Amino acid sequence: MAKTATLTIDGKAYEFPIIKGTDGNDAIDITGLRKKTGMITLDYGFGNTGSCASSISFMDGERGILRYRGIPIEQLAEQSSFIETSFLLITGELPTREELIGFSMMLNDHSLVHEDMRHFFERYPKGAHPMGILASMVNALRAFYPELPQRSEHEEIRITFARLLSKLRTLAAMSFRISGGLPVVYPSVHLSYCANFLNMMFDSTVRPYVIDEDVVQALNVFWILHADHEQNCSASAVRLVGSARVNLYAAISAGISALWGPLHGGANQAVVEMLQAMYDSGGDPAPFIARAKDKKDPFRLMGFGHSIYKNYDPRGKIMKKMCDRVLTKLERHDPLLDIAMKLEEVALKDSYFIDNRLYPNVDFYSGIILRALGIPLDMFTVMFAIGRLPGWISQWKESTEDPRGKLHRPRQLYCGPPERDYVPVEKRNRTTKVI
Ligand code: CMC
């Protein structure tokens, strides 16, 4: 017999079905709650609320597990490529050799962006953050390319996804080149997805960029680690905006905007800024740790803690290993890595971090890798966005295909003034300022 949960309100019992997942938490289906009881649930930050049923990624925050379509992140980071992982996330299966070749060709075929889009870049004020530029450029793609209609043909869907995956990477590299006053480098059919990006970023007629396979591999791993993370803030933004049946580009643009925040994807930039500030003040992390522990100070230790992981972030572990590997390969010594390792050591012995179960997350070491690859600081979150794109596409696809999908419209507990009368301006005698 299926299990149920009983909720008792004022002595009256209400039954709700318990839905079992493949792994992890089961869920109490409260779809009928308001209708049956006249009440709603209140869950700040949605920490206890499942907004959907999903088969894309699985996380277990207690055990530090992350899997894409069932496959452990460690195996994908070791054996897969970013493109193959993107295919897996979007379609649900690893591609056959033919499918992988076909998908790579499709990405190459759609890698150029409309030349008119260059004018957009030229009009942005100097110093505009690339994440803001990227969000609006992706939204603008809809003006240049057709919308994906409901019930599209399979081929149309594949082309639209390939177009987005390929063009986001081109747009990101273009924004870097144009903002630095450098000529745009176009994508090449002869290069892989990651090699193409590095070449578009760093090639020059004066000093041709030499592609290093270890650097390409590091970028593959970096993007695989970021490719999806179940119902995080930006994925939820994509689903919520997408639920209004807006076009895919607009939904992805909403995801990019959400990712920009320093508590989410913007943390990779914030970590390096924090490590730099530690370095500039003599390299001692202690005053920063003290600030992070002070509840009156809004400062948080960037790259530490996670809403779900109450153990090591499995992505953080892989990232740390990659960091050592890349710096050794490039024969680079980064003093920020020394500070990061010292900070990690001190924080992990501190009772505040132990008691609150705060461990380094994916962003803690990722910035040091990006610095080593030559990626400028304000492009760090853009790098996260390129990696997260297959996840956003998969979440959007799953939510739009779900027959139970609805326009997302949460409720609220109203705590404002009770009904009161409008007061004409000449009769308002309030002396305190409200803004
Ligand atoms: N520094 C200091 N205190 C912290 C930190 C931190 N980095 N993270 C959490 N805390 C405190 C938090 O204030 C809470 O204290 P209290 O119970 O007194 O209010 C306690 O530790 C437990 O926090 P939590 O419930 O485990 O975490 P949360 O869900 O409130 O916040 C977070 C999660 C990621 C927003 C937070 O850990 C944070 O701000 N970290 C720094 C920013 C960061 O690195 N973000 C990247 C996240 S990974 C990338 C991604 O997936 O987006």
Side-chain angles (χ1 to χ4, degrees), residues 66 68 71-86 88-89 194 216-229 315 318-319 362 383-384 386-388 390:
L66 173 63
Y68 296 160
I71 304 178
I73 189 69
E74 293 78 7
Q75 291 183 21
L76 290 165
E78 196 61 41
Q79 300 175 56
S80 186
S81 68
F82 176 60
I83 287 315
E84 189 183 59
T85 299
S86 302
L88 167 74
L89 283 168
C194 293
V216 170
Q217 180 53 15
L219 187 56
N220 264 298
V221 174
F222 178 89
W223 277 337
I224 289 171
L225 295 181
H226 286 87
D228 194 52
H229 216 219
R315 305 166 302 168
I318 302 170
M319 205 63 96
V362 69
M383 297 298 287
F384 191 152
I386 301 172
R388 185 51 60 86

Side-chain angles (χ1 to χ4, degrees), residues 296-412:
K296 286 190 232 96
D297 190 331
F299 176 78
R300 283 185 168 195
L301 210 58
M302 287 293 140
F304 262 79
H306 198 275
S307 312
I308 310 252
Y309 294 123
K310 304 302 167 199
N311 199 326
Y312 261 98
D313 178 338
R315 305 166 302 168
K317 274 193 199 164
I318 302 170
M319 205 63 96
K320 187 178 180 181
K321 265 199 229 148
M322 277 287 306
C323 197
D324 288 339
R325 208 181 297 167
V326 168
L327 293 189
T328 309
K329 164 73 210 231
L330 298 177
E331 295 175 2
R332 210 134 321 141
H333 173 251
D334 189 338
L336 297 196
L337 177 62
D338 299 338
I339 295 182
M341 293 197 328
K342 194 159 148 195
L343 175 61
E344 180 184 350
E345 196 189 326
V346 177
L348 290 181
K349 284 188 195 140
D350 188 298
S351 60
Y352 175 88
F353 292 87
I354 296 169
D355 295 347
N356 284 305
R357 303 170 78 188
L358 304 172
Y359 292 86
N361 59 45
V362 69
D363 292 318
F364 192 64
Y365 286 103
S366 70
I368 296 173
I369 297 184
L370 293 178
R371 267 163 69 93
L373 300 190
I375 308 290
L377 189 60
D378 65 356
M379 285 287 287
F380 282 14
T381 316
V382 168
M383 297 298 287
F384 191 152
I386 301 172
R388 185 51 60 86
L389 183 59
W392 289 330
I393 293 175
S394 318
Q395 300 285 348
W396 179 88
K397 180 172 178 283
E398 188 178 70
S399 69
T400 53
E401 287 172 358
D402 189 341
R404 297 159 299 186
K406 281 183 164 193
L407 175 70
H408 288 206
R409 176 45 173 101
R411 292 273 173 174
Q412 62 164 18

Side-chain angles (χ1 to χ4, degrees), residues 178-233:
I178 293 173
S179 70
L182 301 165
V184 167
V185 177
Y186 289 96
S188 158
V189 76
H190 303 296
L191 297 175
S192 69
Y193 188 91
C194 293
N196 239 323
F197 175 75
L198 291 165
N199 194 58
M200 283 192 275
M201 288 284 288
F202 302 121
D203 191 38
S204 146
T205 44
V206 182
R207 198 185 295 272
Y209 182 69
V210 180
I211 290 166
D212 177 326
E213 277 314 313
D214 287 327
V215 170
V216 170
Q217 180 53 15
L219 187 56
N220 264 298
V221 174
F222 178 89
W223 277 337
I224 289 171
L225 295 181
H226 286 87
D228 194 52
H229 216 219
E230 55 123 288
Q231 305 313 315
N232 58 83
C233 178

